[in-house]
Structure formats: structure tokens, C-alpha cells
Amino acid sequence: MPRALPAAAEVVIVGGGVVGASAAFHLAEAGVDVLLLERDELASGSTSRAAGGVRAQFSDPVNIALGQRSLDAFERFAQRPGGEIDLVQNGYLFLLDDADDVAAFERSVALQNELGVPSRMLDVAEARRLSPYVRPEGLLAAAFSPRDGHCTPEAVVSGYAAAARAHGATIRRHCAVTGIDSRDGRITSVRTADGGVRTEVVICAAGAWSGAVGQMAGVELPVRPLRRQIVVSEPVPDLPPDLPFTIDFGTSFYFHDEGSDTGRAVLMGMSDPEQEFGFDTSRSEEFLERLSEVVARRAPALSEVGIAHGWAGLYEVTPDRNAVVGEAPEVGRFLYATGFSGHGFLQGPAIGEVLRDLVLGHTPVVDVSALDVRRFAESTSRPELNCV
Ligand SMILES: Cc1cc2nc3c(=O)[nH]c(=O)nc-3n(C[C@H](O)[C@H](O)[C@H](O)COP(=O)(O)OP(=O)(O)OC[C@H]3O[C@@H](n4cnc5c(N)ncnc54)[C@H](O)[C@@H]3O)c2cc1C
């Protein structure tokens, strides 16, 4: 028998990915009565499909700040909220083959250094020493930050969820939110298949499905789903121990080491320029062919390794590939944090803190006012350049 929903909650969070789970933890820790509703399993949306990359190498100062604050949290995750997340900090290495990109990365690295990020530009020989699979033909330079890396997304969600429960949060899986009611511009309740819950505060953390959740409250969130695919190799003998998360910026092909039960392997992904928006998460042969061509060109030794498995998931994309975070003007106390366009996992810890602060009316730990959704209506979009 499913347990009955609470009749009321101070805050209802829609979505149990990294953003919802982090928000639930930070709010519950602050003493707020939180109910998180997830229509499937926790982390079953984009979070479990992520490559797990965590970094502070961005072009936008808000993303740099969110990335850095989240890196702090990932590094201390075992103490707070608790749990093993398999954090590997071998750095992120961006390979650059275009003079304009080199100039843009030089500007970003200077900004990152000003904000305390230990990133630097490298020549091609240094990049190759760090990431020996790279074929250097055509490369001009690289950017590297040793503190970046990757960790296990599902472990991060379960760590936050367990600690949120321990602080008194209620988390319900297999409970879809079907409606959000308001009166005189204020939220009054959420509806679910299992009944209604009175609340005055809703947080939309519904990832690629946020557009539909926004509509329930009459709020337009310009977030569209875009399929992305990943493959994981068979175990690779003699994989370099310090292999960085390596990104061929011109093609968006990336790879990093991936632990598996049978040995260390390589996880590879790439954007697909032919991909259209939509909720399809099937795997495609065409993608594999396109990926193979790029791998053969940029990291030919990886063409030799067998593919063990793979998956597809959804980026939640906004028009400027930057997140939307804030409180809707149309309806009071509808907060949203979505549209992370490929960097939502790594921002999850800091965004959870920001959401706590917005709910409590405190000054947020990171100023996210530039990510307010109204920027699109005001034509002040804010493109993030360091995305693939
Ligand atoms: C292939 C791939 C690789 C990626 N790699 C990286 C990476 O290396 N680093 C990085 O930072 N990011 C990466 N991302 C992006 C990252 O996965 C997302 O930005 C992040 O997981 C978003 O988290 P979320 O909690 O907002 O959304 P989600 O994890 O999608 O969670 C939203 C949840 O809301 C639930 N939901 C939706 N509607 C309802 C409803 N009506 N009622 C109840 N529940 C609902 C869904 O079931 C879902 O579980 C990658 C994404 C993909 C697809």
C-alpha cells in the first residue's frame, strides 16, 4: 500500500534529480518542512544519464561561481551530506583547434583565475602528455584545470536524499505532480494522482520536463529536451591513471576514465549536430557512426577498444544554453531551477543552496539574478561558451 501523502508541506519540490534532491537536503537541513515528489525513481531523469563531469571552467562568472561552490561540496560530500560519490579529480582538458576559440578560452581562463580557479592554457605537447590518447594534428592549444573531474550522479542523489530524510524531509517516488493550483496569484496546493497537498511554495526541478510543470502554474519556462548519447568501452588495459576529462572542443567529442566491475574503461560522448529537439531516448546507429569517425581522427587508439554498453538521455536546453533559476513573477512562490543545458549535474550542490536561500528570503550564496527567466523577454540572453 502506498503511504498517504502529507496533507500539507511548507515547500513541495517537483522532481527527484540532482537539483530536487540537493534542494530537499539544503531546505530540510535549514529546518523547512519539505515534500519532494518524483514520478519515477530518484535520479531516473537526466541525472543518471550524465557523464558525471564536474568543473569550474566556464566563460560566464555565474557558472564559474556555481561550479566552484559545487566542487567544494563534492570534495566534502562524505562529511556533508554523507556518502561515497567516487570523485576523481584528474582535471578537465579542452583541446582547441581554432584561433578564435583559443582567444576565447584565454579570456575565460583569465576570468577563472581572477575568481580563484586554478586553470591554465597549455601547449599541445603538454596536453598530449596529460591525455596520451590525443592525436595532436590540427590542435593549436588547450585549457586545463586540475581541480575539475567527475563523480557518480546516482550516488550524489542518494546521498542528498538520505540526508534530507534524516533531517525530516518526505520523499515520495512514483508520484507525479499533475496540477498546481493558485488563488489571487499565490500557490495554494499541488495535485497528484495520489491526492492533493496544500502548500504555498513550489520548486520546479523537473529537468527536461520543466516546460510542462511550468505550464501547470501558468509560467513559461523555455526548456526543450535534446537527446545526447554516451558509450562505455570494454575494460582498457594500461589506461593512464591520471587521464583527464578530455574534450575536443571543435567536435564536442569527449572521454574520461570510468570504473567498472571488470576494470577501468573509457566513457565517450559527443553532441550530434543532426539531433532535433524531442523526448526520444533510444540509441541510434547514426550517432555511433558519427562518433567513430571523430574518435578515429582525434583519439585513434580508442577506436580499437570494444564498446560494452551505452545509453541516451536528455539535455534540458534553453535558448542561450544557460540555466534559468529564480522565482516567477506571474505567480507568487513558484521557484524554478532548470534548463542547465549540459551542466546541471555539476551545479546541483550550489543550486540546492541557492534554492534554500530563495525560499527563505535570504541573499543567495551565489547571485543568480542574471539567470532569471525574464532575460529572454528582455532580449538579454547570456550565452555560455564552454559547453559541448
Ligand atoms: C548524456 C548526458 C551527459 C551529461 N553529462 C553531464 C556532465 O558531465 N556534467 C553535468 O553537469 N551535466 C551533465 N548532463 C546534464 C545533467 O544530466 C542535467 O543537467 C542534470 O542532471 C539536471 O538535473 P535535474 O535534477 O534538473 O533534472 P533530472 O535529473 O532530469 O530530474 C528531473 C526529475 O523530474 C521528474 N519529473 C518530471 N516531471 C515530473 C512531474 N510532473 N512530477 C514529478 N516528477 C517529475 C523526472 O522524472 C526527473 O526524475 C548530461 C546530460 C546527458 C543527457
Side-chain angles (χ1 to χ4, degrees):
M1 278 289 287
R3 278 172 302 161
L5 283 172
E10 269 180 83
V11 177
V12 174
I13 299 172
V14 188
V18 68
V19 172
S22 170
F25 165 68
H26 287 101
L27 281 162
E29 186 194 47
V32 178
D33 164 35
V34 185
L35 170 65
L36 184 153
L37 299 174
E38 163 56 52
R39 67 176 175 195
D40 196 331
E41 296 291 345
L42 293 179
S44 61
S46 300
T47 299
S48 60
R49 314 294 168 94
V54 296
R55 63 178 163 117
Q57 274 192 86
F58 285 96
S59 67
D60 183 321
V62 180
N63 289 333
I64 295 171
L66 290 168
Q68 260 189 312
R69 198 165 172 99
S70 294
L71 281 173
D72 291 344
F74 288 126
E75 286 168 351
R76 295 197 308 260
F77 203 88
Q79 290 79 51
R80 173 177 175 262
E84 171 55 50
I85 60 169
D86 313 315
L87 179 63
V88 173
Q89 287 174 291
N90 289 345
Y92 250 71
L93 178 71
F94 285 93
L95 306 170
L96 305 169
D97 65 0
D98 176 275
D100 290 341
D101 289 341
V102 174
F105 270 75
E106 281 169 346
R107 286 192 296 276
S108 294
V109 164
L111 176 65
Q112 291 155 17
N113 293 169
E114 263 173 51
L115 297 173
V117 177
S119 52
R120 60 183 192 273
M121 298 300 293
L122 304 181
D123 64 25
V124 177
E126 283 175 286
R128 192 133 190 273
R129 267 199 297 281
L130 285 172
S131 193
Y133 293 121
V134 169
R135 184 166 169 262
E137 268 64 23
L139 293 181
L140 300 176
F144 179 67
S145 187
R147 197 185 172 201
D148 298 342
H150 58 86
C151 58
T152 303
E154 297 88 334
V156 170
V157 171
S158 43
Y160 277 133
R165 285 193 190 98
H167 283 290
T170 303
I171 296 181
R172 285 285 186 276
R173 296 169 299 130
H174 305 289
C175 184
V177 172
T178 54
I180 298 172
D181 300 316
S182 56
R183 193 180 318 119
D184 302 330
R186 309 289 303 176
I187 288 171
T188 52
S189 61
V190 299
R191 276 175 274 141
T192 80
D194 299 329
V197 179
R198 287 194 311 283
T199 189
E200 293 182 356
V201 186
V202 169
I203 296 177
C204 173
W209 301 271
S210 294
V213 173
Q215 275 172 10
M216 292 177 197
V219 175
E220 197 188 331
L221 295 172
V223 175
R224 292 196 285 176
L226 187 69
R227 178 172 67 166
R228 297 281 301 222
Q229 301 183 57
I230 279 180
V231 294
V232 178
S233 74
E234 302 281 1
V236 181
D238 306 324
L239 199 70
D242 302 326
L243 193 68
F245 194 129
T246 305
I247 300 181
D248 185 41
F249 189 67
T251 60
S252 83
F253 161 54
Y254 64 84
F255 59 91
H256 70 67
D257 62 314
E258 177 82 347
S260 79
D261 295 342
T262 47
R264 290 175 71 230
V266 179
L267 178 151
M268 293 179 266
M270 192 175 80
S271 67
D272 184 346
E274 307 285 312
Q275 184 63 55
E276 292 179 0
F277 290 106
F279 285 100
D280 177 16
T281 52
S282 62
R283 294 178 63 200
S284 83
E285 275 306 315
E286 295 78 9
F287 167 76
L288 281 180
E289 282 164 24
R290 279 195 272 274
L291 177 68
S292 306
E293 280 168 28
V294 177
V295 175
R297 248 189 356 257
R298 184 51 75 210
L302 295 179
S303 293
E304 311 297 318
V305 302
I307 298 304
H309 64 107
W311 62 83
L314 300 171
Y315 269 21
E316 63 289 3
V317 179
T318 66
D320 62 9
R321 302 174 88 198
N322 233 338
V324 287
V325 183
E327 181 163 357
E330 300 92 329
V331 47
R333 304 267 73 190
F334 180 86
L335 285 81
Y336 53 85
T338 180
F340 293 93
S341 307
H343 41 272
F345 171 60
L346 69 92
Q347 296 190 344
I351 289 293
E353 291 183 276
V354 165
L355 287 166
R356 172 203 60 204
D357 295 339
L358 291 174
V359 166
L360 295 176
H362 297 164
T363 304
V365 288
V366 174
D367 179 1
V368 292
S369 50
L371 300 182
D372 191 294
V373 72
R374 281 170 283 188
R375 72 181 181 274
F376 297 113
E378 292 160 1
S379 313
T380 48
S381 79
R382 208 182 159 88
E384 169 55 55
L385 303 180
N386 296 16
C387 318
V388 291

